[in-house]
Amino acid sequence: MAHNIILSHATAVDIYRKYYQAKQCAHIGIVIAATWYEPLMTTTADILAAKRAMAFNQYWFLDPIFFGNYPSVMRQMLGPNLPTFTPEEKTLLKEKLDFIGINQYTTTYAKYCIHSTCVIDAFDGNALVLTTRESNGQLIGTPTGMPMYYAVPWGIEKVVMHMKERYNNTPMYITENGYSQASNSSMTAADFVNDTARVNFIHDYLIYLNSAIRKGADLRGYFVWSLIDNFEWLFGFTLRFGLHHVDFKTQKRTPRLSAKWYSNFLKGSKIAKSVHSDLSLEY
């Protein structure tokens, strides 16, 4: 399926560039869901596990476009189960994006796992990686409403800088980044509007994006997920990512504290400070 997605992307970009791009003066790219994987321990095994997780998570889709083939570690581990590209397909894939879109929410630890006692989820199983959010009794970040999504602001800078180095500092956009609140049907707008945790989340992630830009990353935009609460995949209406609260029965929308804070930030207001003061955002 992924193989066909990659070739479909290349075909769509080829058509767009031939018939539409010059007229519209627009850019076309691809969006990658980019969790950052940090080695659980500073051992060779865990460092390699983190690299494998990155390969199966991000390089899988980007390497064919930049280098004409899948990551070598995927080929080593999957063998003939991993499809191959023909010479014609490799030509089609070449330089088939103007930017990389990055959906980044969280960071996790990666541990090398080949033992039957390891409980590996389906997503990381082929990479032989065990993912965990805890090391020596300490959580990697602050839990959010989304299970397994922890607020780890420094992870977004690591993703951006890694993309910068691996893919020749191709222009990047953060196409999704946001904070989720858990909810149930008995809760009202009043339970959600004072979302200081979301303000802190956005503020702190912007701190590290600011740092990446200062270090030379060609990062050109940032988009919060999301403007309003909506239907979130398997979680349905039980998770709320919006800057505005939505009453799903009446469709009434109520701006949260985060909406007002973000508006002030975009306008350059000096009152747009974090709710806490352990990080300082320059803008």
Side-chain angles (χ1 to χ4, degrees):
M1 181 183 69
H3 190 75
N4 289 333
I5 288 173
I6 294 165
L7 291 174
S8 297
H9 163 80
T11 301
V13 172
D14 193 57
I15 293 170
Y16 183 75
R17 286 182 172 167
K18 284 180 179 177
Y19 301 108
Y20 302 102
Q21 190 166 37
K23 298 177 184 177
Q24 297 181 352
C25 299
H27 296 156
I28 186 168
I30 193 169
V31 175
I32 301 298
T35 296
W36 178 255
Y37 292 87
E38 188 77 2
L40 178 63
M41 304 289 288
T42 55
T43 61
T44 299
D46 284 359
I47 291 171
L48 292 175
K51 290 181 178 180
R52 286 199 307 276
M54 294 290 288
F56 278 78
N57 179 260
Q58 299 164 35
Y59 309 164
W60 185 1
F61 293 90
L62 290 174
D63 274 22
I65 298 171
F66 282 91
F67 310 127
N69 219 329
Y70 290 115
S72 58
V73 68
M74 292 187 72
R75 180 67 61 193
Q76 293 167 8
M77 299 184 72
L78 300 180
N81 289 327
L82 188 66
T84 58
F85 296 106
T86 66
E88 294 78 15
E89 289 170 341
K90 289 182 178 182
T91 299
L92 177 66
L93 283 165
K94 190 176 181 180
E95 299 179 353
K96 282 303 187 292
L97 55 75
D98 300 320
F99 67 86
I100 301 171
I102 300 171
N103 292 355
Q104 214 286 331
Y105 291 90
T106 194
T107 293
T108 187
Y109 291 118
K111 177 180 174 57
Y112 181 54
C113 183
I114 60 173
H115 306 294
S116 60
T117 55
C118 289
V119 180
I120 306 178
D121 64 35
F123 189 80
D124 300 305
N126 284 329
L128 296 181
V129 172
L130 172 68
T131 55
T132 178
R133 284 81 189 167
E134 185 176 327
S135 176
N136 295 323
Q138 296 294 318
L139 295 178
I140 195 169
T142 306
T144 69
M146 171 79 85
M148 305 303 180
Y149 272 25
Y150 285 61
V152 189
W154 51 263
I156 200 167
E157 181 180 6
K158 290 207 171 188
V159 166
V160 169
M161 296 305 295
H162 188 71
M163 294 281 193
K164 171 184 179 291
E165 297 303 321
R166 188 175 182 86
Y167 301 116
N168 196 32
N169 206 14
T170 295
M172 292 170 279
Y173 293 86
I174 302 301
T175 40
E176 283 187 26
N177 175 247
Y179 179 89
S180 64
Q181 295 169 287
S183 71
N184 58 59
S185 58
S186 66
M187 301 172 77
T188 66
D191 297 312
F192 295 101
V193 292
N194 191 34
D195 58 340
T196 56
R198 180 174 287 107
V199 170
N200 291 336
F201 180 99
I202 297 171
H203 174 276
D204 293 353
Y205 272 72
L206 287 173
I207 286 280
Y208 284 94
L209 291 177
N210 184 23
S211 175
I213 292 170
R214 291 173 182 272
K215 293 175 182 176
D218 191 356
L219 183 65
R220 301 189 180 187
Y222 172 85
F223 298 86
V224 174
W225 187 265
S226 173
L227 176 66
I228 60 173
D229 293 332
N230 53 28
F231 189 89
E232 290 293 340
W233 298 85
L234 294 176
F235 295 95
F237 296 115
T238 64
L239 287 181
R240 295 177 178 270
F241 276 90
L243 298 179
H244 290 72
H245 175 272
V246 176
D247 184 319
F248 295 121
K249 294 179 180 179
T250 66
Q251 296 301 302
K252 180 182 178 181
R253 301 177 183 185
T254 304
R256 294 187 167 108
L257 173 65
S258 58
K260 300 170 185 177
W261 179 90
Y262 194 56
S263 176
N264 286 330
F265 168 74
L266 294 176
K267 294 172 184 176
S269 171
K270 293 302 180 182
I271 67 170
K273 303 298 183 183
S274 170
V275 177
H276 55 57
S277 58
D278 55 330
L279 293 173
S280 177
L281 177 61
E282 298 179 21
Y283 54 90

